[in-house]
Amino acid sequence: MNEAARESPSGLVEHYFRHAYGRLVATLARRFGLASLQRVEDAVQEALLSALTAWSLRGVPDDPGAWLYRVAFNTLRDQSRRDGAWSRAAERVREVAPTESPAPEATFEGDLDDDELRMLFVCCDARLPPPSQIALALKVLCGFSVREIALRLLTTEANVYKRVTRAREALREGALDLDAPPDVTERLPAVHAVLYLLFNEGYCAASGDALVRRELCEEALRLAHILLRHKGCDVPETRALVGLFHLQSARLSTRVDAAGELLTLAEQDRTQWDREEILLGLRWLHASAEGGVFSRYHAEAAIAAEHALAPSFDATRWEEIAELYTLLDRRLPSPLHALNRAVALAEARGAQAGIDSLEGVRLPPGLAGYYLWDAVVGDLLRRAGHPAQAIAYLERASVAAPTEAERALLRRRIASCGG
């Protein structure tokens, strides 16, 4: 979000929803207990809604984050008093005076000094099915809507709703404990997955008018660096993930033009890529290359490095990128990896080669009608000289695309086909 948008009350509230929502939920859940998680989420959302009115009438407070914390805290305190639970919650709560900021964030095991990250590890408890772990974390800590989660997990909104509901039931029943030291090693893969999805939502949003949400990328990177400070989390996969985030962050400012239009990789001004971010990404990728470990994050960071090091779009080592996608697909089979490999092959050998590589690839039910599949296949058909077929795919993708920036790009491609 630009500074002008943050100066308005509505813009600032939106910024805090995306940037501080998870931190507020995590801190208040620590105070009032996981059994009250639904109430905590509702209280934080009510505080954000109250801010729209209060800040418009009385101006933005000196410390907006502390203001939001106090309003949500007071709501939860009043609810607890009304239902007679205050005496049980009092030991978990420390009163915050009107002029004070929220209490310092708690720690566990003396190493991981962030309430939000602690809550993330709780959501990734092995007693919850892996899909529920990730869905709950994205909903509770990242503020994702059910629709955004469904798009990221390639499933239906109904499935996401069921997963989140079941996970919340486990919390209410006391199956999970926010104060108990988590098994870091066991839960780390799910934590990696959540941070990966959080960064991707910032890199290419699944809803709203803005394609890029820099604050989400920054938050994912912040939490990933905190992981590195924990001896049980400083592993090759975490280092590769941090490397990937830095390499992708280098291109954030060039992904859209001044009018908010999406710029393809070929259209981006490489002189504007952040060289410091690229160097950081390369260093972390190098640091991840130990112990014979190869994860999806290693493969994707290596792909991002190929793009970052290429002097131009045409000079990119597309065959190398295609091979990396092949390795990634072997490590974690997915039609989307095959799709990205097809794009690389199209650049290396021509559009028809990309189309031919997709022969025999079948989409699972969760990807039926997925707009990115239709968008890429439509573009390959357009470039291969099949305009009628291309238009059918591109129009279908345009209808399903979640952001206006992507729809605008697809309309331009349809127009180039004569559609």
Side-chain angles (χ1 to χ4, degrees), residues 185-217:
T185 303
E186 180 183 52
R187 304 183 192 187
L188 190 57
V191 170
H192 285 154
V194 172
L195 295 183
Y196 174 83
L197 292 169
L198 176 61
F199 185 94
N200 282 350
E201 178 62 21
Y203 189 78
C204 186
S207 65
D209 296 328
L211 181 74
V212 174
R213 294 174 176 168
R214 182 180 286 273
E215 60 266 29
L216 295 186
C217 296

Side-chain angles (χ1 to χ4, degrees), residues 7 63 94 154 232 248 272 312 360 379 385:
E7 289 176 0
D63 190 340
R94 285 178 287 183
L154 305 177
Q248 296 290 65
Q272 297 302 308
S312 68
D379 190 51

Side-chain angles (χ1 to χ4, degrees), residues 11-72:
L12 193 59
V13 169
E14 180 186 352
H15 166 73
Y16 269 92
F17 175 77
R18 287 298 180 185
H19 195 67
Y21 176 86
R23 210 170 304 173
L24 286 168
V25 169
T27 301
L28 289 165
R30 187 85 192 281
R31 307 295 183 265
F32 287 87
L34 286 176
S36 301
L37 182 60
Q38 182 65 68
R39 284 188 176 187
V40 169
E41 291 181 74
D42 292 342
V44 172
Q45 290 174 9
E46 287 177 18
L48 288 160
L49 289 173
S50 297
L52 281 174
T53 301
W55 296 356
S56 296
L57 292 175
R58 297 190 288 272
V60 177
D62 292 335
D63 190 340
W67 188 98
L68 291 167
Y69 179 92
R70 287 196 299 273
V71 171

Side-chain angles (χ1 to χ4, degrees), residues 82-139:
R82 284 196 299 270
D83 65 15
W86 176 250
S87 59
R88 294 190 299 274
E91 293 182 1
R92 306 182 64 88
V93 179
R94 285 178 287 183
E95 283 282 5
V96 179
T99 57
E100 290 180 345
S101 297
E105 294 175 331
T107 65
F108 70 84
E109 293 295 289
D111 290 323
L112 212 49
D113 55 348
D114 188 277
D115 266 349
E116 191 174 2
L117 205 53
R118 171 193 280 266
M119 184 70 176
L120 178 52
F121 272 92
V122 169
C123 289
C124 295
D125 193 300
R127 285 170 288 182
L128 294 176
S132 295
Q133 296 172 16
I134 296 173
L136 179 66
L138 292 175
K139 184 73 176 72

Side-chain angles (χ1 to χ4, degrees), residues 309-330:
L309 294 172
S312 68
F313 183 82
D314 291 335
T316 303
R317 301 197 306 174
W318 293 108
E319 291 283 2
E320 291 290 332
I321 290 175
E323 181 59 29
L324 284 166
Y325 275 119
T326 299
L327 293 174
L328 179 57
D329 195 48
R330 289 174 187 164

Side-chain angles (χ1 to χ4, degrees), residues 223-257:
L223 292 171
H225 271 288
I226 294 175
L227 280 181
L228 289 170
R229 300 208 301 263
H230 189 287
K231 60 185 178 182
C233 301
D234 185 10
V235 296
E237 294 91 332
T238 305
R239 296 176 184 179
L241 185 67
V242 170
L244 172 62
F245 288 172
H246 279 296
L247 288 164
Q248 296 290 65
S249 294
R251 303 203 300 263
L252 282 178
S253 63
T254 65
R255 298 203 68 238
V256 294
D257 63 17

Side-chain angles (χ1 to χ4, degrees), residues 328-348:
L328 179 57
D329 195 48
R330 289 174 187 164
R331 176 70 178 80
L332 190 70
S334 168
L336 294 186
H337 299 153
L339 187 67
N340 284 317
R341 178 175 179 271
V343 172
L345 287 175
E347 296 299 336

